[in-house]
Amino acid sequence: MNNFDKKISGKVKSYLNENVEFSTEESEKIHLKIQQEFHKSRSVNPLYWTVLASAAIIFLVLSLSFLKSPIVVPENEHVAQGSGNENITLPEGEELAVGLSDIEQMNIGAEMPRLLYADNEIAVLQGAFGVVVYNLQDSIVTNRISYEQIKSYGISMMLASVSQDGTTIFIGNDDMSMSSNEHIFTHQYDISTRIIKKITQQPSNLFSPKTIEQPGYHEQYDDLQYGTSHNIVELDKSFIYLRSAKWEMKDLQIVNCPYEDGESKVFDVFK
């Protein structure tokens, strides 16, 4: 073996000693196999076997490194924070998960949540929890867009409005310096599929609840034993509003109150 062969052989042995471990039995089998092959091929240039063995070892090491390396998330995916403080990968056009684990410790804040939309089937609310959709038929929250989730879309303070037919929520940044007619919506959220995506055209004909500017002065709408929302949605024979006996979000209720004599229907939003 010439100096070059010795150098290559030394490097291979050194690498094997540092990175590959064999049992005593395995080592003996390997040496025996090498000796058998060596006697069969003495007429072949030893440099050939050295180079071949080196190439095989390098291929094995690279293969193991590839299998152990972490999977890289594509750059076009959003990484969002879920409502339960768990990290989730949220590609554009994916479904937003519904989580309510943080509501138990949440206070209502300086203002009552407000109604964005309501009909006989659903109510859409916005508050410290973000935006939720409540199914009045099944008495359950079916959708939620939390403030943490929406941050991954470049929305720091969520502005939300609902289409006239109650199927889509439009979302943008709430810039307090703009009038209500100047706000720009950047995304739309499909209530039935819970999928959010960008929009290129501004929506028109959005739903507008009725605002009560001075709660406490409207005998028809006031519920003085509770804190109530500043807006309502009027239906054919009743109206819907929000109330809470305490200033805790878990006590928030939706009330469907008839205009004529009759009993109101009360829904506990987060219970």
Side-chain angles (χ1 to χ4, degrees), residues 85-120:
N85 295 324
E86 72 280 8
N87 288 324
I88 58 174
T89 300
L90 195 63
E92 186 74 16
E94 284 293 312
E95 177 181 321
L96 292 186
V98 180
L100 302 175
S101 60
D102 56 333
I103 300 296
E104 181 70 22
Q105 305 300 324
M106 187 178 293
N107 291 323
I108 286 180
E111 295 182 353
M112 281 286 296
R114 59 191 181 92
L115 278 169
L116 300 181
Y117 175 89
D119 57 26
N120 291 312

Side-chain angles (χ1 to χ4, degrees), residues 108-263:
I108 286 180
E111 295 182 353
M112 281 286 296
R114 59 191 181 92
L115 278 169
L116 300 181
Y117 175 89
D119 57 26
N120 291 312
E121 302 290 331
I122 66 170
V124 183
L125 335 174
Q126 183 172 9
F129 45 76
V131 174
V132 299
V133 179
Y134 188 86
N135 187 308
L136 298 171
Q137 302 299 313
D138 298 330
S139 301
I140 188 173
V141 174
T142 59
N143 307 66
R144 182 185 182 186
I145 310 171
S146 72
Y147 286 102
E148 289 300 321
Q149 285 176 320
I150 207 65
K151 283 180 181 178
S152 67
Y153 295 92
I155 298 174
S156 57
M157 183 60 66
M158 181 164 44
L159 166 74
S161 191
V162 181
S163 61
Q164 193 72 30
D165 61 2
T167 63
T168 307
I169 301 173
F170 294 96
I171 304 166
N173 264 310
D174 190 359
D175 189 342
M176 302 301 292
S177 65
M178 293 184 176
S179 68
S180 58
N181 295 326
E182 295 175 335
H183 286 299
I184 303 299
F185 294 97
T186 58
H187 292 77
Q188 70 178 30
Y189 173 84
D190 189 294
I191 291 176
S192 63
T193 64
R194 298 205 296 264
I195 289 178
I196 185 171
K197 60 183 179 180
K198 290 183 179 179
I199 59 175
T200 56
Q201 294 183 342
Q202 292 302 296
S204 59
N205 196 27
L206 297 174
F207 185 85
S208 180
K210 181 176 181 178
T211 300
I212 301 176
E213 295 182 355
Q214 293 180 314
Y217 295 92
H218 301 271
E219 181 179 352
Q220 184 179 17
Y221 301 125
D222 290 341
D223 195 339
L224 300 180
Q225 296 179 357
Y226 296 84
T228 59
S229 57
H230 290 199
N231 59 0
I232 65 169
V233 172
E234 294 182 308
L235 305 178
D236 291 337
K237 298 181 180 180
S238 63
F239 64 93
I240 292 179
Y241 68 99
L242 305 179
R243 74 181 188 186
S244 181
K246 300 178 182 178
W247 220 240
E248 297 176 351
M249 198 65 74
K250 63 183 179 181
D251 294 314
L252 184 66
Q253 295 178 325
I254 299 172
V255 182
N256 190 337
C257 181
Y259 286 120
E260 304 294 335
D261 291 339
E263 187 175 350

Side-chain angles (χ1 to χ4, degrees), residues 64-74:
L64 291 174
S65 299
F66 176 79
L67 290 174
K68 293 180 180 180
S69 62
I71 298 174
V72 180
V73 177

